Amino acid sequence: MMSCCSSEKKHHQIASRILIDAQKNIRHKLLLLGPAFAGKSTIFKQLRRIYTNSYTTNQSRDFFKPAIRACLIEGIKILIKEAQRTDTELSLLGMKYASAILELELNDSLSPEIGQQIAFLWNKEPTIKLAFTNKSKFHLDDSAAYMLDHVERISQNDYLPTEEDIIRVRIRTSGVVETKFSLNKAPFS
C-alpha cells in the first residue's frame, strides 16, 4: 500500500512541476530510446495523433499509403515463402496467386485484383494460416495480420489510410524525428 501512495504522490509532484514549468514557459524535451522494434515510432505517432491532429488531412494520410501497401505485400510474401518450406501445398488457384504475388516488388502498385488474390490466400488457404501460426520461427511484422485482414479495403483505388492503419504500419526510422506539442499548456518537443 505504501508504494501505491508514494507512486500517486510522485505522479502528483511531476504533474505539478509540469504546470509550474508551463507558467514559466519552459520547453520540455521528450526523448524516446530503445532497440529496434521496441515501439518508439508507434508511441511517437500516437503522441502526434493525440496532441497535434497531424493525421487529419488527406495529404498527411497519403504519405503513409506506400508504406502500408509495402507492409502488406511484404507480409504475404513472407508467409508464402514460409508455406512453401513446409510439406503442405497450396491449392491450384492458391499456387497461381502466390506465384504472381511473389513477383511483386514492395513499391509496386496494389490493385483491387491483387488485393483479392492476397485476400484469397490469407482467408482461404490453410497453408498460409499454418505458416502464420508458426510466425515465432521467422520474422513477420506485428502489423501483418492487421494489414492482411484489411487487404480489400487497402487495395482499393480510392484508399485513404485510417488513423489505425497509420499507427500500425511499421516505418523504419533512423536519426532524430522531432515534433512539437503541448500537454497541460506545457510545450514539448
Side-chain angles (χ1 to χ4, degrees):
M1 187 73 170
M2 290 281 276
S3 65
C4 175
C5 293
S6 67
S7 175
E8 288 177 18
K9 184 178 177 182
K10 185 71 171 170
H11 175 72
H12 180 69
Q13 289 172 342
I14 292 170
S16 297
R17 183 70 189 165
I18 288 174
L19 286 173
I20 291 167
D21 289 349
Q23 292 169 347
K24 294 179 181 177
N25 205 20
I26 295 174
R27 180 165 295 280
H28 299 276
K29 298 235 181 227
L30 178 63
L31 179 64
L32 302 176
L33 298 173
F37 299 99
K40 301 173 299 293
S41 294
T42 302
I43 291 171
F44 184 76
K45 286 188 284 187
Q46 289 173 336
L47 287 170
R48 283 184 64 187
R49 177 179 143 206
I50 293 167
Y51 295 110
T52 68
N53 294 324
S54 62
Y55 304 131
T56 56
T57 67
N58 291 355
Q59 183 180 14
S60 64
R61 289 176 185 229
D62 273 341
F63 170 80
F64 292 94
K65 211 185 293 190
I68 291 168
R69 289 180 167 169
C71 177
L72 183 61
I73 292 170
E74 180 181 39
I76 194 65
K77 286 176 78 169
I78 289 170
L79 289 171
I80 291 168
K81 289 174 185 174
E82 288 300 320
Q84 290 174 338
R85 291 173 12 123
T86 66
D87 291 333
T88 57
E89 289 188 16
L90 296 169
S91 67
L92 287 174
L93 187 58
M95 289 188 328
K96 177 184 171 187
Y97 290 165
S99 179
I101 290 166
L102 287 173
E103 296 295 319
L104 293 174
E105 297 293 329
L106 295 183
N107 58 354
D108 283 348
S109 64
L110 184 61
S111 68
E113 179 185 359
I114 295 170
Q116 289 174 347
Q117 293 173 3
I118 293 171
F120 176 86
L121 291 171
W122 177 242
N123 296 316
K124 306 277 192 226
E125 285 291 339
T127 305
I128 298 295
K129 288 292 188 177
L130 180 62
F132 182 77
T133 61
N134 293 320
K135 68 181 185 247
S136 64
K137 297 177 182 172
F138 55 92
H139 177 73
L140 184 69
D141 278 349
D142 292 339
S143 62
Y146 172 84
M147 298 300 174
L148 289 165
D149 285 342
H150 294 92
V151 63
E152 292 182 278
R153 176 178 57 82
I154 292 170
S155 64
Q156 293 302 307
N157 293 328
D158 61 348
Y159 167 66
L160 188 64
T162 64
E163 286 187 351
E164 186 74 13
D165 297 343
I166 292 168
I167 296 297
R168 288 187 177 253
V169 69
R170 164 101 173 109
I171 299 178
R172 289 174 181 87
T173 53
S174 62
V176 177
V177 179
E178 183 177 354
T179 194
K180 295 177 181 177
F181 64 94
S182 293
L183 173 62
N184 293 335
K185 299 182 182 178
F188 279 79
S189 64

